[in-house]
Amino acid sequence: MADSSRQRRRNAIPGFGLTMGYTLTYLGLIVLIPLGALILRASTLGMAGLWEILADPRVLAALRISFGLSFAAALLDAVFGLLVAWVLVRYAFPGRRFIDAMVDLPFALPTAVAGISLAAIYAPNGWLGAPLESLGIKVAYTPLGIFIALVFVGIPFAVRTVEPLIAEIDRETEEASATLGASRGQTVWRVVLPPLMPAMLTGFALAFARAVGEYGSVIFIAGNLPYLSEIAPVLIVIRLEEFDYAGATGIAVIMLAISFAALLAINLIQAWSRRRFGYA
Amino acid sequence: MPDTRHQPPTTERGTTRVVLTLTALAFLTVCLILPLAAVFTEAFRNGVDAYMDAFREPDAQAAIRLTLTVAAIAVPLNLVFGVAASWAVAKFEFRGKSLLITLIDLPFSVSPVVSGLVYVLLFGAQGLLGPWLAAHNIQIIFALPGIVLATVFVTFPFVARELIPLMQDQGTGDEEAALTLGASGFKTFWTVTLPNIRWALLYGVLLCNARAMGEFGAVAVVSGHIRGETNTMPLHVEILYNEYNFVAAFAVASLLALLALVTLAAKSLLEWRYGDAIAGRAGH
């Protein structure tokens, strides 16, 4: 926005060399060199070595569990995130401000705390585990338990990406739609929801990316049984404990590649949304 | 309140609103409130004495001390970085700026376990620098430096990402005025820029601190789980839980949950009182 004016006056402000130098040095030391070490280590494996690690049925099963359940959890988060954001923005009810603050709990609550708490709730004698068990549904030590933990960590992403957009919706378009004879359902479906889609997709992608890498809130409820409830991050830790650095690196590189693909997808969605709707 | 006589065209029917609100509240209660309530219920299951016993244990006290130490190092490091990075990004134009912002955000999209792994590959016994470190008798992995590094990595973007969008919005006008009037660069920052960004800075530090004290996956990989030495509070919770010492595990966990609640309360207060002075939302 103010690019041209800033461009003209850029030399007036001091400290560029100092702050930029510090930023790049710190970024390099903490983030780029360590990540580079991972890539370097992976490159010594070669494509054949990487392929060998990937072809291990246990690794494949862990990746399938991680990505499949993360996808499902992010999908549920996106749907309920829209609902929660809508209710928080549009409706007045007692305790609204408290509920709004609580949405960020999964950001603030340490993952290990969430993990043991969910494990206790869904244990066969837990608050929800016991009634579900009498219905014949087992949650703890099954993929369903992993799914529940992943839904938990994704909630704030799904809510916070759509919430500001709902708050900014121009009520006049809804009035116009109603004036032209649309029912409330038609107005919501055809006028209100379409512009929210990019934000929902972004929320979905963020929740998905977070869920794929999640470790602390999953391990206690999952039981970590190979081929059944073992997620990829757990397998990395197991490989490290076996001093199989190559195996750990291989899985890590594959996970990194997929996370970056998710990041790229978010950027593409936002670029598309800017063109289509005029905002990201 | 359902109103049957007059139906405004820009909202849903009363019954629809009630159903939607109750569904959303039910979802949030099951997913968020229940886990929070369970932490405190389990912690006090055997009464207050059993709860307090968990903190009399020397290992628990060592874990609390270590967590505070790690946060006391990691948070200021990322605070200084966040201010420097946002100054460079927001006050100047240069090529590759969006790439730099993406790189600063990078640690957010890396799994905590991978964040720990990269340091093991660099400094571990079989790592790139492992033999050199061993020859010089320097221990990083399974010791405090490794835990601090892993924590700094996962909390890396917190302060910077709150400050960058805000300082970009504020532009350079105030600073230029101060400089024109003869203030030095540092004085300009201290008396002009810092007051403009203080609430956003506090906001970022709060979130950074909560994550630094609560980080589990990255720290678990580099810590080695040495009781009384390299166990942070979340790792101590894990060990107690795996030993079926549930009351003690949830007692230590309740302290971390309390920290989360204080963070959320302070965060909401900041958003409510100083929403315009934080305004980090648009920049995500």
Side-chain angles (χ1 to χ4, degrees):
Chain A
M1 277 175 276
D3 277 357
S4 57
S5 59
R6 217 181 288 157
Q7 196 91 40
R8 262 187 288 117
R9 303 180 296 185
R10 64 182 163 184
N11 291 331
I13 306 284
F16 180 71
L18 178 71
T19 54
M20 191 52 139
Y22 184 74
T23 300
L24 291 179
T25 310
Y26 190 74
L27 179 72
L29 287 178
I30 299 290
V31 178
L32 299 183
I33 292 175
L35 279 177
L38 177 75
I39 308 288
L40 195 71
R41 189 88 182 200
S43 68
T44 61
L45 298 171
M47 275 325 251
L50 208 58
W51 186 249
E52 203 177 314
I53 290 164
L54 242 186
D56 177 358
R58 186 169 167 190
V59 173
L60 271 182
L63 288 171
R64 204 167 42 234
I65 290 165
S66 273
F67 286 99
L69 288 174
S70 298
F71 190 88
L75 211 58
L76 190 84
D77 278 330
V79 172
F80 274 94
L82 176 68
L83 173 69
V84 168
W86 183 266
V87 167
L88 284 175
V89 173
R90 286 292 176 97
Y91 305 158
F93 54 92
R96 195 185 62 84
R97 186 169 264 161
F98 169 75
I99 294 288
D100 191 38
M102 286 300 287
V103 166
D104 282 328
L105 182 73
F107 277 152
L109 194 68
T111 54
V113 177
I116 62 169
S117 177
L118 289 171
I121 291 173
Y122 290 97
N125 60 351
W127 288 346
L128 294 179
L132 286 171
E133 183 107 326
S134 65
L135 294 172
I137 303 170
K138 281 182 79 75
V139 179
Y141 312 132
T142 70
L144 188 57
I146 302 176
F147 173 76
I148 285 172
L150 296 181
V151 167
F152 173 83
V153 298
I155 291 170
F157 296 97
V159 177
R160 297 299 185 217
T161 44
V162 287
E163 205 177 4
L165 283 185
I166 295 177
E168 277 169 22
I169 292 175
D170 187 357
R171 288 287 182 106
E172 281 178 17
T173 57
E174 287 172 69
E175 277 166 24
S177 168
T179 315
L180 293 170
S183 71
R184 183 61 191 160
Q186 283 173 322
T187 301
V188 168
W189 192 249
R190 298 231 175 128
V191 176
V192 177
L193 283 185
L196 297 178
M197 274 309 286
M200 278 183 75
L201 275 173
T202 304
F204 168 83
L206 288 172
F208 174 75
R210 170 71 202 263
V212 165
E214 184 54 31
Y215 177 71
S217 38
V218 174
I219 55 168
F220 298 100
I221 199 172
N224 309 318
L225 305 167
Y227 302 101
L228 178 70
S229 62
E230 184 177 70
I231 54 169
V234 167
L235 196 53
I236 293 180
V237 172
I238 290 174
R239 291 287 188 255
L240 267 181
E241 282 166 358
E242 294 165 345
F243 296 104
D244 178 5
Y245 283 25
T249 306
I251 305 169
V253 161
I254 292 156
M255 284 183 57
L256 267 186
I258 298 173
S259 317
F260 291 162
L263 211 66
L264 189 68
I266 294 171
N267 282 331
L268 290 176
I269 292 167
Q270 285 177 340
W272 169 74
S273 159
R274 252 190 295 274
R275 279 199 308 275
R276 172 75 177 72
F277 299 106
Y279 54 80
Chain B
M1 287 294 136
D3 185 346
T4 45
R5 283 165 305 156
H6 172 67
Q7 176 61 48
T10 54
T11 190
E12 288 75 48
R13 286 215 324 273
T15 44
T16 317
R17 294 164 66 157
V18 171
V19 168
L20 290 179
T21 308
L22 289 180
T23 312
L25 290 181
F27 173 75
L28 292 180
T29 305
V30 169
C31 286
L32 302 178
I33 311 286
L34 225 51
L36 189 63
V39 173
F40 292 99
T41 313
E42 296 288 331
F44 287 103
R45 177 168 291 267
N46 295 344
V48 177
D49 279 345
Y51 178 84
M52 294 311 291
D53 277 346
F55 301 107
R56 290 195 187 102
E57 213 201 329
D59 287 347
Q61 290 172 2
I64 294 172
R65 261 198 309 276
L66 180 61
T67 291
L68 293 176
T69 310
V70 169
I73 303 171
V75 174
L77 280 176
N78 283 337
L79 167 69
V80 172
F81 163 73
V83 172
S86 52
W87 184 270
V89 167
K91 304 290 182 196
F92 301 93
E93 290 305 320
F94 53 89
R95 286 166 59 110
K97 184 189 274 198
S98 57
L99 175 69
L100 180 61
I101 295 175
T102 307
L103 289 177
I104 290 172
D105 271 342
L106 199 58
F108 272 154
S109 44
V110 174
S111 168
V113 169
V114 178
S115 310
L117 171 71
V118 293
Y119 291 109
V120 175
L121 293 180
L122 205 53
F123 301 121
Q126 298 179 42
L128 284 175
L129 302 177
W132 187 87
L133 289 170
H136 290 77
N137 217 0
I138 303 171
Q139 181 138 31
I140 291 182
I141 300 304
F142 304 150
L144 180 68
I147 298 173
V148 170
L149 277 173
T151 306
V152 168
F153 185 101
V154 294
T155 58
F156 189 83
F158 276 93
V159 178
R161 73 151 25 197
E162 295 302 331
L163 292 186
I164 289 173
L166 178 70
M167 284 171 68
Q168 277 179 326
D169 277 358
Q170 288 175 346
T172 55
D174 290 359
E175 283 80 7
E176 277 160 12
L179 290 161
T180 312
L181 292 171
S184 70
F186 184 74
K187 188 163 188 206
T188 302
F189 169 76
W190 196 254
T191 54
V192 176
T193 311
L194 204 56
N196 280 343
I197 61 169
R198 60 185 163 183
W199 298 117
L201 194 64
L202 181 60
Y203 189 87
V205 165
L206 268 174
L207 299 182
C208 182
N209 179 63
R211 180 70 192 268
M213 291 191 173
E215 177 52 29
F216 178 70
V219 172
V221 170
V222 296
S223 123
H225 292 93
I226 307 164
R227 274 190 100 121
E229 279 184 45
T230 63
N231 272 345
T232 59
M233 284 169 74
L235 296 176
H236 190 60
V237 168
E238 180 198 19
I239 286 187
L240 292 171
Y241 188 87
N242 287 340
E243 287 171 349
Y244 302 101
N245 193 349
F246 293 137
V247 168
F250 278 101
V252 178
S254 74
L255 219 53
L256 289 166
L258 213 57
L259 169 75
L261 287 178
V262 170
T263 304
L264 283 186
K267 178 175 174 296
S268 306
L269 193 71
L270 280 177
E271 281 168 1
W272 177 49
R273 280 291 301 274
Y274 305 104
D276 294 337
I278 298 171
R281 282 185 178 215
H284 278 228

